Amino acid sequence: MGKFVIKETATGIKFDLKATNGQVIGTSEVYSSKSACKNGIASVQKNAPVAPVEDQTVADYKQEKNPKFVLYTDKAGETRFKLNASNGENILASEGYTTKAAALNGIESVKKNAVDADIEE
């Protein structure tokens, strides 16, 4: 089972979603309070399982409605994803992956690990 790890930064509070193996599969934005951070976690738990993937790495991609995972290529040529909530807010972002397949596995890992994940403060 995955877990959300809440941590303080120099500018606020954020969380990482870690897979069972301890790997970070997604990171949140920085929140101003712990309660806002926990709301972000709840939003990931609610939205990730039902979110379709909008694959922006292909031409003429199909635009999906929020909530959705957005798969894209960054400036360094790596594949990344982000999870947008129903209101369009970005609630989780991935690291860069060297292949699209690895990024898609990351999305599946978020869907699988987020729902029942423990929260570590």
Side-chain angles (χ1 to χ4, degrees), residues 78-103:
E78 291 188 315
T79 306
R80 295 179 178 263
F81 64 83
K82 58 187 175 183
L83 174 60
N84 292 345
S86 345
N87 63 2
E89 285 282 313
N90 178 359
I91 51 176
L92 190 76
S94 76
E95 63 183 9
Y97 292 91
T98 52
T99 66
K100 180 177 171 177

mmCIF file of all heavy atoms in Angstrom, residues 78-103:
data_model
loop_
_atom_site.group_PDB
_atom_site.id
_atom_site.type_symbol
_atom_site.label_atom_id
_atom_site.label_comp_id
_atom_site.label_asym_id
_atom_site.label_seq_id
_atom_site.Cartn_x
_atom_site.Cartn_y
_atom_site.Cartn_z
ATOM 1 N N GLU A 78 11.688 14.588 -21.455
ATOM 2 C CA GLU A 78 11.180 13.515 -20.607
ATOM 3 C C GLU A 78 9.653 13.561 -20.564
ATOM 4 O O GLU A 78 9.051 14.608 -20.782
ATOM 5 C CB GLU A 78 11.737 13.640 -19.191
ATOM 6 C CG GLU A 78 13.229 13.360 -19.121
ATOM 7 C CD GLU A 78 13.733 13.302 -17.693
ATOM 8 O OE1 GLU A 78 13.369 14.161 -16.875
ATOM 9 O OE2 GLU A 78 14.510 12.378 -17.407
ATOM 10 N N THR A 79 9.047 12.409 -20.300
ATOM 11 C CA THR A 79 7.598 12.319 -20.207
ATOM 12 C C THR A 79 7.190 12.499 -18.752
ATOM 13 O O THR A 79 7.787 11.902 -17.856
ATOM 14 C CB THR A 79 7.101 10.961 -20.738
ATOM 15 O OG1 THR A 79 7.613 10.773 -22.057
ATOM 16 C CG2 THR A 79 5.584 10.920 -20.801
ATOM 17 N N ARG A 80 6.202 13.333 -18.534
ATOM 18 C CA ARG A 80 5.699 13.619 -17.184
ATOM 19 C C ARG A 80 4.181 13.540 -17.200
ATOM 20 O O ARG A 80 3.561 13.579 -18.254
ATOM 21 C CB ARG A 80 6.092 15.025 -16.725
ATOM 22 C CG ARG A 80 7.573 15.225 -16.560
ATOM 23 C CD ARG A 80 7.881 16.667 -16.124
ATOM 24 N NE ARG A 80 9.294 16.838 -15.923
ATOM 25 C CZ ARG A 80 9.902 16.755 -14.739
ATOM 26 N NH1 ARG A 80 9.194 16.541 -13.651
ATOM 27 N NH2 ARG A 80 11.201 16.896 -14.633
ATOM 28 N N PHE A 81 3.597 13.492 -16.004
ATOM 29 C CA PHE A 81 2.149 13.613 -15.906
ATOM 30 C C PHE A 81 1.802 14.499 -14.729
ATOM 31 O O PHE A 81 2.592 14.704 -13.816
ATOM 32 C CB PHE A 81 1.463 12.244 -15.775
ATOM 33 C CG PHE A 81 1.792 11.480 -14.518
ATOM 34 C CD1 PHE A 81 1.122 11.728 -13.320
ATOM 35 C CD2 PHE A 81 2.758 10.485 -14.537
ATOM 36 C CE1 PHE A 81 1.422 11.010 -12.171
ATOM 37 C CE2 PHE A 81 3.056 9.757 -13.388
ATOM 38 C CZ PHE A 81 2.390 10.032 -12.203
ATOM 39 N N LYS A 82 0.618 15.054 -14.817
ATOM 40 C CA LYS A 82 0.053 15.785 -13.686
ATOM 41 C C LYS A 82 -1.402 15.373 -13.563
ATOM 42 O O LYS A 82 -2.013 14.924 -14.537
ATOM 43 C CB LYS A 82 0.223 17.295 -13.845
ATOM 44 C CG LYS A 82 -0.392 17.878 -15.092
ATOM 45 C CD LYS A 82 -0.032 19.351 -15.238
ATOM 46 C CE LYS A 82 -0.551 19.875 -16.559
ATOM 47 N NZ LYS A 82 -0.179 21.257 -16.794
ATOM 48 N N LEU A 83 -1.927 15.505 -12.361
ATOM 49 C CA LEU A 83 -3.324 15.184 -12.105
ATOM 50 C C LEU A 83 -4.050 16.484 -11.833
ATOM 51 O O LEU A 83 -3.660 17.243 -10.948
ATOM 52 C CB LEU A 83 -3.449 14.241 -10.906
ATOM 53 C CG LEU A 83 -4.871 13.922 -10.402
ATOM 54 C CD1 LEU A 83 -5.722 13.267 -11.488
ATOM 55 C CD2 LEU A 83 -4.812 13.033 -9.170
ATOM 56 N N ASN A 84 -5.085 16.741 -12.616
ATOM 57 C CA ASN A 84 -5.919 17.919 -12.412
ATOM 58 C C ASN A 84 -7.221 17.500 -11.747
ATOM 59 O O ASN A 84 -7.826 16.504 -12.140
ATOM 60 C CB ASN A 84 -6.234 18.606 -13.747
ATOM 61 C CG ASN A 84 -5.010 19.230 -14.383
ATOM 62 O OD1 ASN A 84 -3.984 19.408 -13.737
ATOM 63 N ND2 ASN A 84 -5.107 19.557 -15.647
ATOM 64 N N ALA A 85 -7.646 18.273 -10.747
ATOM 65 C CA ALA A 85 -8.914 18.018 -10.064
ATOM 66 C C ALA A 85 -10.075 18.440 -10.951
ATOM 67 O O ALA A 85 -9.877 18.981 -12.041
ATOM 68 C CB ALA A 85 -8.948 18.793 -8.744
ATOM 69 N N SER A 86 -11.299 18.230 -10.478
ATOM 70 C CA SER A 86 -12.481 18.587 -11.277
ATOM 71 C C SER A 86 -12.514 20.066 -11.628
ATOM 72 O O SER A 86 -13.061 20.458 -12.654
ATOM 73 C CB SER A 86 -13.778 18.236 -10.549
ATOM 74 O OG SER A 86 -13.585 17.397 -9.492
ATOM 75 N N ASN A 87 -11.916 20.913 -10.777
ATOM 76 C CA ASN A 87 -11.908 22.358 -11.041
ATOM 77 C C ASN A 87 -10.732 22.783 -11.919
ATOM 78 O O ASN A 87 -10.517 23.969 -12.156
ATOM 79 C CB ASN A 87 -11.889 23.138 -9.723
ATOM 80 C CG ASN A 87 -10.640 22.881 -8.902
ATOM 81 O OD1 ASN A 87 -9.743 22.151 -9.308
ATOM 82 N ND2 ASN A 87 -10.588 23.476 -7.726
ATOM 83 N N GLY A 88 -9.930 21.817 -12.377
ATOM 84 C CA GLY A 88 -8.806 22.131 -13.247
ATOM 85 C C GLY A 88 -7.504 22.408 -12.519
ATOM 86 O O GLY A 88 -6.451 22.540 -13.141
ATOM 87 N N GLU A 89 -7.556 22.486 -11.185
ATOM 88 C CA GLU A 89 -6.342 22.726 -10.397
ATOM 89 C C GLU A 89 -5.400 21.528 -10.488
ATOM 90 O O GLU A 89 -5.841 20.388 -10.396
ATOM 91 C CB GLU A 89 -6.698 22.933 -8.920
ATOM 92 C CG GLU A 89 -7.311 24.265 -8.602
ATOM 93 C CD GLU A 89 -6.286 25.376 -8.521
ATOM 94 O OE1 GLU A 89 -5.234 25.206 -7.874
ATOM 95 O OE2 GLU A 89 -6.558 26.423 -9.126
ATOM 96 N N ASN A 90 -4.106 21.809 -10.619
ATOM 97 C CA ASN A 90 -3.105 20.748 -10.622
ATOM 98 C C ASN A 90 -2.894 20.309 -9.177
ATOM 99 O O ASN A 90 -2.521 21.115 -8.334
ATOM 100 C CB ASN A 90 -1.806 21.290 -11.228
ATOM 101 C CG ASN A 90 -0.699 20.273 -11.226
ATOM 102 O OD1 ASN A 90 -0.865 19.147 -10.768
ATOM 103 N ND2 ASN A 90 0.446 20.659 -11.732
ATOM 104 N N ILE A 91 -3.175 19.035 -8.871
ATOM 105 C CA ILE A 91 -3.064 18.564 -7.488
ATOM 106 C C ILE A 91 -1.919 17.575 -7.271
ATOM 107 O O ILE A 91 -1.610 17.248 -6.132
ATOM 108 C CB ILE A 91 -4.397 17.958 -6.991
ATOM 109 C CG1 ILE A 91 -4.940 16.908 -7.964
ATOM 110 C CG2 ILE A 91 -5.411 19.056 -6.739
ATOM 111 C CD1 ILE A 91 -6.195 16.199 -7.482
ATOM 112 N N LEU A 92 -1.284 17.117 -8.348
ATOM 113 C CA LEU A 92 -0.174 16.177 -8.217
ATOM 114 C C LEU A 92 0.657 16.234 -9.490
ATOM 115 O O LEU A 92 0.097 16.313 -10.582
ATOM 116 C CB LEU A 92 -0.716 14.752 -8.027
ATOM 117 C CG LEU A 92 0.292 13.678 -7.651
ATOM 118 C CD1 LEU A 92 0.666 13.806 -6.174
ATOM 119 C CD2 LEU A 92 -0.271 12.293 -7.897
ATOM 120 N N ALA A 93 1.981 16.212 -9.349
ATOM 121 C CA ALA A 93 2.866 16.224 -10.522
ATOM 122 C C ALA A 93 3.909 15.125 -10.361
ATOM 123 O O ALA A 93 4.345 14.829 -9.242
ATOM 124 C CB ALA A 93 3.542 17.581 -10.653
ATOM 125 N N SER A 94 4.303 14.530 -11.477
ATOM 126 C CA SER A 94 5.279 13.437 -11.439
ATOM 127 C C SER A 94 6.684 13.952 -11.673
ATOM 128 O O SER A 94 6.896 15.100 -12.071
ATOM 129 C CB SER A 94 4.952 12.409 -12.524
ATOM 130 O OG SER A 94 5.345 12.898 -13.802
ATOM 131 N N GLU A 95 7.628 13.051 -11.487
ATOM 132 C CA GLU A 95 9.001 13.289 -11.911
ATOM 133 C C GLU A 95 9.057 13.063 -13.419
ATOM 134 O O GLU A 95 8.071 12.644 -14.016
ATOM 135 C CB GLU A 95 9.924 12.290 -11.206
ATOM 136 C CG GLU A 95 9.607 10.843 -11.585
ATOM 137 C CD GLU A 95 10.450 9.812 -10.849
ATOM 138 O OE1 GLU A 95 11.170 10.169 -9.922
ATOM 139 O OE2 GLU A 95 10.368 8.637 -11.236
ATOM 140 N N GLY A 96 10.206 13.297 -14.018
ATOM 141 C CA GLY A 96 10.375 13.020 -15.436
ATOM 142 C C GLY A 96 10.712 11.553 -15.658
ATOM 143 O O GLY A 96 11.504 10.976 -14.917
ATOM 144 N N TYR A 97 10.078 10.952 -16.654
ATOM 145 C CA TYR A 97 10.343 9.551 -17.011
ATOM 146 C C TYR A 97 11.037 9.514 -18.371
ATOM 147 O O TYR A 97 10.741 10.341 -19.234
ATOM 148 C CB TYR A 97 9.033 8.759 -17.099
ATOM 149 C CG TYR A 97 8.330 8.564 -15.777
ATOM 150 C CD1 TYR A 97 7.384 9.467 -15.321
ATOM 151 C CD2 TYR A 97 8.613 7.455 -14.974
ATOM 152 C CE1 TYR A 97 6.725 9.292 -14.108
ATOM 153 C CE2 TYR A 97 7.960 7.267 -13.760
ATOM 154 C CZ TYR A 97 7.019 8.183 -13.341
ATOM 155 O OH TYR A 97 6.382 7.999 -12.137
ATOM 156 N N THR A 98 11.897 8.526 -18.572
ATOM 157 C CA THR A 98 12.614 8.434 -19.838
ATOM 158 C C THR A 98 11.746 7.868 -20.951
ATOM 159 O O THR A 98 12.031 8.084 -22.125
ATOM 160 C CB THR A 98 13.894 7.578 -19.697
ATOM 161 O OG1 THR A 98 13.530 6.327 -19.107
ATOM 162 C CG2 THR A 98 14.919 8.274 -18.824
ATOM 163 N N THR A 99 10.685 7.127 -20.584
ATOM 164 C CA THR A 99 9.795 6.576 -21.610
ATOM 165 C C THR A 99 8.337 6.886 -21.265
ATOM 166 O O THR A 99 7.985 7.062 -20.086
ATOM 167 C CB THR A 99 9.940 5.042 -21.736
ATOM 168 O OG1 THR A 99 9.489 4.429 -20.520
ATOM 169 C CG2 THR A 99 11.385 4.640 -22.024
ATOM 170 N N LYS A 100 7.525 6.910 -22.289
ATOM 171 C CA LYS A 100 6.087 7.113 -22.104
ATOM 172 C C LYS A 100 5.489 5.944 -21.315
ATOM 173 O O LYS A 100 4.637 6.147 -20.449
ATOM 174 C CB LYS A 100 5.425 7.248 -23.474
ATOM 175 C CG LYS A 100 3.944 7.473 -23.437
ATOM 176 C CD LYS A 100 3.437 7.673 -24.863
ATOM 177 C CE LYS A 100 1.957 7.696 -24.950
ATOM 178 N NZ LYS A 100 1.497 7.963 -26.321
ATOM 179 N N ALA A 101 5.947 4.733 -21.599
ATOM 180 C CA ALA A 101 5.434 3.548 -20.902
ATOM 181 C C ALA A 101 5.677 3.663 -19.396
ATOM 182 O O ALA A 101 4.808 3.319 -18.586
ATOM 183 C CB ALA A 101 6.080 2.287 -21.453
ATOM 184 N N ALA A 102 6.837 4.160 -19.009
ATOM 185 C CA ALA A 102 7.153 4.313 -17.584
ATOM 186 C C ALA A 102 6.233 5.355 -16.947
ATOM 187 O O ALA A 102 5.766 5.185 -15.816
ATOM 188 C CB ALA A 102 8.615 4.708 -17.406
ATOM 189 N N ALA A 103 5.949 6.440 -17.667
ATOM 190 C CA ALA A 103 5.037 7.468 -17.152
ATOM 191 C C ALA A 103 3.622 6.910 -17.006
ATOM 192 O O ALA A 103 2.938 7.183 -16.014
ATOM 193 C CB ALA A 103 5.044 8.687 -18.068
#
